[in-house]
Every structure is written in C-alpha cells, then in structure tokens.
Amino acid sequence: GNGEQIGPGEFIPVAEKSTLIIEIGEFVLREATKDFAPYMREHRDLTLSINISAKQILSDNFVELVRGILEENNFPAECLEIEITEYCLMDATEEAIAVINELKQTGIHLAMDDFGTGYSSLSYLTKLPIDMIKIDKSLIDTISEGEIVSAIISMGHALGCKLIAEGVEEQRQVELLSQKGCDYVQGFIWGKPMSFDKALETVSFNK
C-alpha cells in the first residue's frame, strides 16, 4: 500500500495459488495489446510476447477472450505471441491441447517458455503447434559445459521451431549460441526491464 514495487518472482507464485492469476493475465493481455496496437499495426514484423498461466489457458472461454481483446484493440493477431511455461504441460490434458490449437488457428504465435527445466515430455512438443522454444536460463548459464543446448536447438529446428535463449548476460554466451545455431537471445545483454514509455524512447518507433 506504500507504493513499493514487488517483482514478479514474488507475486506471481502467490497469485498462481488463487484465481487472481487469471485476473492479472487478462489485465496484462488487454493493456499490453492496447498500448502496443498503434505500433504493431505499422510494424508487422514486430512481436508482442505475453506469458499466460496454465490456469488462464484452462479458464472458461479463454480463446474467445483473446479474440475479443484483439478485436477491441485492433491488434494484429500475427503480432501476438503467447508464452506457456513447460510445467503447465506437466499434466497436459486433451483440453489444454485443444485450447492451444484453437489459439494457433486465430493466427497467434505460440512459445514454450523455460524449456529444459525437466517438467514435460518431448512428446508434448510433437502434439502442439509451437513456433518458438525458449531455452531456460539455467541451461544457458552452463552452456560451455555440455551439448544439451545444442541438442535442444537441433531438436527444435527439426520440429520447425525457432529457438531463443533466455537470460543471456555475457558476450561469450552470444557467440557460443550463435555457433550452435540459436536463432535469438534475450536477457540483460540487450537491456533490463523498463517502463512502456522508456521502451518507446529506446526503440524510437515511427508511427
């Protein structure tokens, strides 16, 4: 109540224990697409990526909610990427797979977040229309010690996915990932989290 900022690492696990995570997810989806819509309509090569909880995916009428928000904000579906975490498929049901397939049919891109944390079977990836696999930071931190990342990159490409490495902080990691054929990197090497206004200043969009 005193205006103190709390990081997502603290409040998301608490919200996940209740239905509050569904309200947060809807708020973020609605506000982010509203804020970025004017820029995305002019720059169709850009992607807005939003994390969605497993609870949200399985909530009532989630696909209809997403379609409604896109329409309401005149946001191009092909510029939205929904990230689902690997653990949300730990008990993947036919219902979850059906929802994810419906989302894909709307033109939205889908990313598997935190891949490599050991929660899901590779068989899920063959059942889902995933466009992007995000390699978990824990594997990137030990990239020089083994070929696990290379194997994930090869597997992802074989499935027709692009690969993005999470939590990249050092130039040597960028170079190693480039050698291994990783498509994209994200992390403090490019910049730290920032406000919407600051992001606009940094990118210098021309509407």
Side-chain angles (χ1 to χ4, degrees):
N2 60 2
E4 179 188 353
Q5 287 196 348
I6 299 173
E10 289 182 67
F11 73 79
I12 294 293
V14 175
E16 282 275 11
K17 291 177 182 173
S18 71
T19 56
L20 187 60
I21 194 67
I22 295 174
E23 294 174 49
I24 292 171
E26 181 176 340
F27 174 81
V28 170
L29 195 56
R30 180 168 273 114
E31 292 302 307
T33 52
K34 181 179 75 177
D35 286 345
F36 278 99
Y39 308 99
M40 295 304 189
R41 289 196 293 269
E42 295 295 320
H43 301 273
R44 297 295 179 108
D45 56 328
L46 296 178
T47 301
L48 174 66
S49 197
I50 297 177
N51 291 85
I52 294 294
S53 160
K55 277 188 178 175
Q56 185 106 50
I57 291 272
L58 293 171
S59 63
D60 290 340
N61 304 315
F62 178 62
V63 177
E64 287 79 1
L65 172 74
V66 173
R67 284 183 181 140
I69 288 173
L70 291 176
E71 193 173 328
E72 166 191 320
N73 292 326
N74 193 14
F75 189 98
E78 70 271 20
C79 293
L80 177 64
E81 180 176 79
I82 284 182
E83 294 185 19
I84 52 176
T85 53
E86 193 184 4
Y87 74 78
C88 93
L89 296 174
M90 191 163 36
D91 299 313
T93 59
E94 291 305 316
E95 183 187 358
I97 292 168
V99 170
I100 291 165
N101 278 308
E102 268 193 85
L103 287 170
K104 177 67 176 177
Q105 286 162 18
T106 68
I108 291 167
H109 296 288
L110 293 158
M112 172 72 73
D113 199 14
D114 301 335
F115 188 80
T117 48
Y119 289 103
S120 72
S121 158
L122 295 181
S123 65
Y124 293 140
L125 283 179
T126 64
K127 296 178 185 176
L128 296 170
I130 299 293
D131 301 287
M132 178 83 75
I133 294 172
K134 305 187 72 176
I135 307 169
D136 189 72
K137 176 175 164 47
S138 61
L139 294 178
I140 303 307
D141 287 343
T142 58
I143 190 172
S144 60
E145 296 173 18
E147 291 303 308
I148 295 174
V149 171
S150 294
I152 291 173
I153 292 168
S154 297
M155 177 205 68
H157 285 159
L159 291 168
C161 299
K162 295 287 188 183
L163 281 292
I164 184 166
E166 298 181 290
V168 177
E169 297 178 5
E170 301 169 19
Q171 187 57 37
R172 69 172 188 88
Q173 293 173 320
V174 175
E175 289 160 8
L176 280 165
L177 287 159
S178 176
Q179 289 167 18
K180 292 174 185 294
C182 195
D183 301 288
Y184 306 104
V185 302
Q186 75 173 54
F188 289 174
I189 191 83
W190 298 138
K192 297 193 176 183
M194 62 184 75
S195 68
F196 176 68
D197 291 339
K198 183 71 176 172
L200 292 187
E201 282 175 33
T202 304
V203 178
S204 301
F205 282 116
N206 295 308
K207 282 202 275 181

